[in-house]
Amino acid sequence: MNALNQRHAHACQWAREAGALALDYFRQRDALTIDSKGVQDWVSEADRNVESLIRSRLAETYPEDGILGEEEGWQAGSSNGYWVIDPIDGTTNFLRGLPDWGVVIAYVEEGEVQIGVIYVPMQEQLYQAVRGQGAYCNDQPLHLSQQPIELSSVLIYMGFGRRTALPDYLARIDYLYQCQMDQRRLGSAALCLARTAEGLVDGFFEAQINPWDVLAGLLIVEEAGGWHNYIGQPAATGTMRVLACAAPLQEALTPLLHIGQPR
């Protein structure tokens, strides 16, 4: 097993372990300590402790690698690689008792995402990919169709947060409406991308999203045969404007990237 595949095996193992811990907290969520990071932006002891678990495994196994995590920020390493962690993507769903949340781990080397793992404990689904080796949900390969798609049948997930200007968001909804496409909002960017890769929906767009929410999922979509693009830099200090979809929808959905201005 080469070094990259070894990292991948560890990432899958840690995602499942972290997911089991998160699920324990989910079952006792009424007793959790919860803090606010902003309007409708929550963090709980579950988020912090799940990230700490993953960081401890990384420190034991790959102490030379850097780490970027949602809750604890950036920790520099001495190697050319670093890990990107979202311990619970979909915290609001998690705290409300909704099933749409997951553990997200990506590995970046030489500026390119090499490994993406999204574990959904409530459904026991492990979405994962290694660059150049395909995408999978559990042991089933994911292959997106390359055939043309009628726009009147298209369904995409649209992310929306309070950093996005409401007029820009509404302009995108209007664009989809005029093109006869439909949209939904889920509350977890990682799961939106996983379900895009699985072909359950046709795409995902969000105007301002953090790298830990999307880097793993973008690789999984790409390895499943999909297309993605973004504006911005996937760095600790910046947000990204992200579009991912089935490849035949690239032309129809690209205007979403250019409605409004990055903020």
Side-chain angles (χ1 to χ4, degrees), residues 111-173:
E112 191 169 53
V113 182
Q114 301 293 335
I115 296 166
V117 176
I118 300 168
Y119 181 55
V120 188
M122 298 293 287
Q123 286 84 41
E124 297 185 351
Q125 292 173 307
L126 183 74
Y127 297 88
Q128 43 93 4
V130 178
R131 181 165 295 281
Q133 298 182 30
Y136 297 82
C137 178
N138 296 336
D139 295 324
Q140 297 301 310
L142 302 176
H143 298 295
L144 288 174
S145 172
Q146 305 301 307
Q147 298 302 311
I149 302 171
E150 288 289 335
L151 295 188
S152 60
S153 70
V154 168
L155 176 66
I156 73 166
Y157 279 129
M158 289 282 288
F160 174 68
R162 289 178 177 267
R163 292 174 296 188
T164 302
L166 183 59
D168 291 352
Y169 178 73
L170 295 177
R172 295 185 183 100
I173 298 296

Side-chain angles (χ1 to χ4, degrees), residues 30-163:
D30 290 343
L32 289 175
T33 300
I34 302 169
D35 298 314
S36 173
K37 296 192 287 186
V39 177
Q40 295 287 336
D41 187 8
W42 312 102
V43 60
S44 75
E45 60 186 299
D47 299 85
R48 295 187 177 104
N49 291 343
V50 171
E51 181 168 322
S52 293
L53 171 65
I54 300 171
R55 283 178 178 267
S56 70
R57 297 294 181 265
L58 286 168
E60 293 166 2
T61 313
Y62 302 110
E64 70 280 8
D65 291 345
I67 305 173
L68 171 62
E70 178 175 9
E71 308 308 336
E72 297 183 37
W74 172 250
Q75 175 184 318
S78 59
S79 74
N80 292 323
Y82 65 94
W83 300 81
V84 184
I85 305 165
D86 191 341
I88 300 176
D89 186 56
T91 295
T92 297
N93 290 345
F94 176 93
L95 295 174
R96 289 277 183 166
L98 296 169
D100 299 311
W101 54 272
V103 177
V104 188
I105 302 174
Y107 175 70
V108 181
E109 192 171 82
E110 301 289 353
E112 191 169 53
V113 182
Q114 301 293 335
I115 296 166
V117 176
I118 300 168
Y119 181 55
V120 188
M122 298 293 287
Q123 286 84 41
E124 297 185 351
Q125 292 173 307
L126 183 74
Y127 297 88
Q128 43 93 4
V130 178
R131 181 165 295 281
Q133 298 182 30
Y136 297 82
C137 178
N138 296 336
D139 295 324
Q140 297 301 310
L142 302 176
H143 298 295
L144 288 174
S145 172
Q146 305 301 307
Q147 298 302 311
I149 302 171
E150 288 289 335
L151 295 188
S152 60
S153 70
V154 168
L155 176 66
I156 73 166
Y157 279 129
M158 289 282 288
F160 174 68
R162 289 178 177 267
R163 292 174 296 188

Side-chain angles (χ1 to χ4, degrees), residues 1 48 169 202 209 216 240:
M1 182 181 294
R48 295 187 177 104
Y169 178 73
D202 302 302
I209 191 76
M240 305 163 65

